[in-house]
Amino acid sequence: MSRHPDNETVWRQGHSPVTIKGSRIGLTFILHPQFSMEEVLADLKEKLTGKQAHLFSGPTIQVIVSTGDRELSESDIQSLRDVFRLRKNLTLGTIGSLTSGQAEEPSGILMHETANHYPKVHYGTVRSGMRLEHYGDIVVVGDVNPGGQIIAGGNIVVMGTLRGMAHAGCFGDEQSIIAAVYFMPTQIRIANVISRSPDGEPKQATEMEFAYLLEGQMAVDKLQHLSNILM
Amino acid sequence: MGETVVVTSGKGGVGKTTTSANLGAALALLGKKVCLVDTDIGLRNLDVVLGMENRIVYDLVDVVTGQCRLEAALIKDKRFDNLTMLAASQTKDKSALTPEAVKKVIDELKPSYDYVIIDCPAGIEQGFKIAIAGAERAIVVTTAENAAVRDADRVIGLLEAAKIKHPKLIINRVRPHMMQQGDMLDIEDITSLLAIDLLGVVPDDEFVIASANRGEPAVVNPNSRAAIAYRNIARRILGDSVPLMILDEKRSFMGRIKQIFGTK
């Protein structure tokens, strides 16, 4: 990345604080280091909600933020996440300096899979020892048995009984949810939060439920209340 | 052209070998030509359960390595005209065979029998791969325990991945009174979790152990409840519709009195 003498020159050359590049994996947002964080955030907000915002509508897209050699503070990362949250279909994954090869990868497990951000629909039972991985959302039409694993960059929906392990938002998206018709998982994970079922005999689930993160804590609620969370 | 069926479970000790032997004998009693193949190389048991240990001259490994012809290794059961066994080798281990080689032997057996029943070793490694290589259908045996059901689930996944469609389930060694008390998984729980067709439920019966030790299949005894269950399963394999056995043991007179007064 070439350094420019000052901001004015850059603007004149048609650069803006944030450049967006499409790739096989998803979208890469490049934050040019010569702009202040305020300018970056304002430009990002304009791009995501302004006149060009319709460009980002559609299926879930994996987002990588390249910061170059900019040092991001904890609050900067939080502000970035807040801005990306304005668009539900953008899943913020890696934030890091891609040029120096030190990209932060919260979970590198899905990196090998061909990028496809349409929801992955699996028909049939996910049995013990089976592992379903996908960048975006995963829909299982069938049960997930104990010992089966579902790992998604986005949300997980099980059209059956969830008895196994489900990890939604495995790249760190805390907005992800896990929903099931019969919600009886052995363990659920959203982003970096892990929660397990209470000890003892599992109760037969009677209504559709989903799990989400409420202030960093795992919460489970009736599926009817999902709209309240999404608002 | 016969059908090849593998009897498998994942977990050990749930009764694969007993099930293979009894189903083989029951099908033979119903007039079908059956060949039982033991693929548990190094830990063979099927011959012991069938009481044919002392008649083994050649085994499966000998056939595969070309030491003898296939016919020479087949042992006819003296009690059931239609039953034949191909023993596993006790001195070698599972690496002595490859899935392809075993499939060739099974394919060679198929035209001469109605059913080729393959007794699978425990586990999901080489031995399992050898056992399922020649199979078109599968019977998964489990007991009503969580650990066995988990392993059965894993094995069903592996069978489906190996393109053996629609495996059937046998729940073995069921104790009805424990199920009633809720101390054992009940049949409903198991079938809803595994989501495959139930072929039969075999009650726990001491006679099965006794007859295995004597080296004769339990199915010959018309008084054994397990034997009746195995015969029913054999008939279901042939396509008859046989209702599931009522597992409830008859209550004693005192038991019924207690039930009336609500203490049991």
Side-chain angles (χ1 to χ4, degrees):
Chain A
M1 203 179 297
S2 63
R3 280 208 170 255
H4 296 279
D6 58 65
N7 293 354
E8 289 309 307
T9 327
V10 177
W11 280 112
R12 273 199 301 279
Q13 286 176 345
H15 277 266
S16 65
V18 179
T19 308
I20 305 168
K21 282 186 175 168
S23 72
R24 204 171 56 86
I25 297 171
L27 293 175
T28 306
F29 285 65
I30 300 163
L31 315 183
H32 295 292
Q34 58 272 34
F35 294 94
S36 72
M37 198 62 201
E38 284 73 26
E39 286 172 294
V40 165
L41 287 171
D43 188 46
L44 191 59
K45 203 163 185 172
E46 163 66 25
K47 284 192 161 72
L48 292 177
T49 55
K51 272 182 259 165
Q52 308 168 323
H54 62 275
L55 292 172
F56 300 103
S57 57
T60 307
I61 303 167
Q62 180 72 33
V63 170
I64 293 170
V65 176
S66 166
T67 56
D69 38 21
R70 181 196 293 275
E71 290 287 327
L72 288 182
S73 70
E74 202 58 44
S75 67
D76 288 345
I77 292 177
Q78 194 51 48
S79 327
L80 272 174
R81 288 194 185 280
D82 286 341
V83 175
F84 276 105
R85 228 164 255 169
L86 294 169
R87 296 215 65 97
K88 295 281 178 238
N89 60 324
L90 295 186
T91 326
L92 184 52
T94 310
I95 299 179
S97 153
L98 292 183
T99 45
S100 60
Q102 291 175 337
E104 168 210 353
E105 284 180 21
S107 166
I109 38 171
L110 298 186
M111 285 303 175
H112 66 277
E113 204 164 308
T114 318
N116 176 5
H117 305 300
Y118 291 103
K120 179 175 185 163
V121 184
H122 176 90
Y123 296 94
T125 311
V126 177
R127 296 185 183 277
S128 177
M130 288 165 76
R131 181 186 176 102
L132 223 59
E133 295 179 350
H134 185 55
Y135 266 111
D137 297 354
I138 296 183
V139 178
V140 178
V141 185
D143 295 347
V144 180
N145 282 353
Q149 300 186 334
I150 313 284
I151 292 153
N155 304 316
I156 295 171
V157 177
V158 179
M159 310 289 282
T161 312
L162 172 60
R163 295 191 189 88
M165 195 279 275
H167 189 178
C170 66
F171 298 110
D173 178 13
E174 298 180 346
Q175 301 295 298
S176 306
I177 61 146
I178 302 170
V181 175
Y182 297 109
F183 195 81
M184 305 156 73
T186 41
Q187 197 184 84
I188 41 174
R189 303 177 189 172
I190 296 178
N192 297 320
V193 180
I194 301 179
S195 171
R196 65 183 175 86
S197 61
D199 287 327
E201 196 72 3
K203 278 205 294 283
Q204 177 64 44
T206 49
E207 53 191 355
M208 293 190 267
E209 287 173 312
F210 74 103
Y212 62 105
L213 285 187
L214 182 65
E215 288 158 7
Q217 297 279 314
M218 194 72 75
V220 178
D221 204 344
K222 281 196 262 185
L223 198 64
Q224 286 87 336
H225 298 161
L226 179 59
S227 52
N228 304 348
I229 309 299
L230 294 180
M231 284 301 111
Chain B
M1 199 67 157
E3 263 185 54
T4 55
V5 186
V6 63
V7 177
T8 181
S9 74
K11 191 176 180 298
V14 296
K16 285 178 296 296
T17 302
T18 314
T19 302
S20 305
N22 282 292
L23 284 187
L27 285 166
L29 282 173
L30 290 165
K32 296 290 166 187
K33 287 196 68 163
V34 180
C35 183
L36 289 167
V37 181
D38 191 351
T39 56
D40 201 348
I41 314 293
L43 290 169
R44 68 177 181 205
N45 291 140
L46 189 61
D47 50 315
V48 181
V49 173
L50 287 168
M52 288 150 90
E53 195 178 8
N54 53 3
R55 295 174 52 201
I56 299 170
V57 180
Y58 296 111
D59 55 49
L60 181 59
V61 176
D62 293 327
V63 175
V64 168
T65 53
Q67 311 265 319
C68 70
R69 289 180 308 113
L70 175 59
E71 289 74 19
L74 294 173
I75 308 165
K76 270 186 87 69
D77 193 308
K78 283 184 177 140
R79 296 152 297 192
F80 313 98
D81 291 340
N82 291 323
L83 190 63
T84 310
M85 188 194 62
L86 177 55
S89 171
Q90 185 71 349
T91 50
K92 310 277 181 356
D93 65 37
K94 268 120 190 143
S95 59
L97 297 178
T98 61
E100 295 76 29
V102 174
K103 186 176 188 316
K104 234 178 97 194
V105 174
I106 303 287
D107 286 345
E108 216 176 311
L109 285 168
K110 236 162 74 173
S112 345
Y113 294 92
D114 295 315
Y115 290 96
V116 178
I117 298 177
I118 305 157
D119 183 23
C120 177
I124 52 171
E125 294 83 21
Q126 178 76 357
F128 174 78
K129 287 176 188 138
I130 289 167
I132 66 165
E136 296 155 344
R137 288 171 50 170
I139 292 174
V140 176
V141 183
T142 185
T143 56
E145 296 160 60
N146 260 327
V149 173
R150 291 276 191 290
D151 290 4
D153 191 40
R154 177 92 171 97
V155 157
I156 294 164
L158 292 172
L159 288 170
E160 284 170 351
K163 302 274 177 280
I164 299 178
K165 297 286 180 211
H166 309 299
K168 301 274 191 281
L169 181 68
I170 292 179
I171 305 174
N172 203 7
R173 296 223 306 260
V174 164
R175 299 186 184 185
H177 66 274
M178 283 187 75
M179 271 186 184
Q180 275 163 6
Q181 288 165 7
D183 294 334
M184 211 176 211
L185 292 175
D186 66 33
I187 291 162
E188 185 76 10
D189 290 344
I190 298 169
T191 49
S192 79
L193 183 95
L194 296 179
I196 58 172
D197 291 345
L198 181 63
L199 195 58
V201 177
V202 182
D204 197 22
D205 189 344
E206 287 173 2
F207 182 75
V208 173
I209 301 168
S211 61
N213 285 338
R214 275 200 307 277
E216 61 179 33
V219 285
V220 291
N221 183 346
N223 299 320
S224 157
R225 292 170 62 77
I228 298 165
Y230 280 125
R231 284 176 186 227
N232 287 348
I233 291 169
R235 285 173 59 197
R236 287 188 201 111
I237 291 174
L238 298 182
D240 290 2
S241 116
V242 187
L244 274 184
M245 219 158 95
I246 296 159
L247 289 171
D248 234 353
E249 282 155 45
K250 277 210 181 73
R251 285 234 173 86
S252 64
F253 178 69
M254 278 309 288
R256 269 181 285 169
I257 300 275
K258 279 181 187 160
Q259 192 183 23
I260 290 165
F261 291 104
T263 53
K264 193 178 179 183

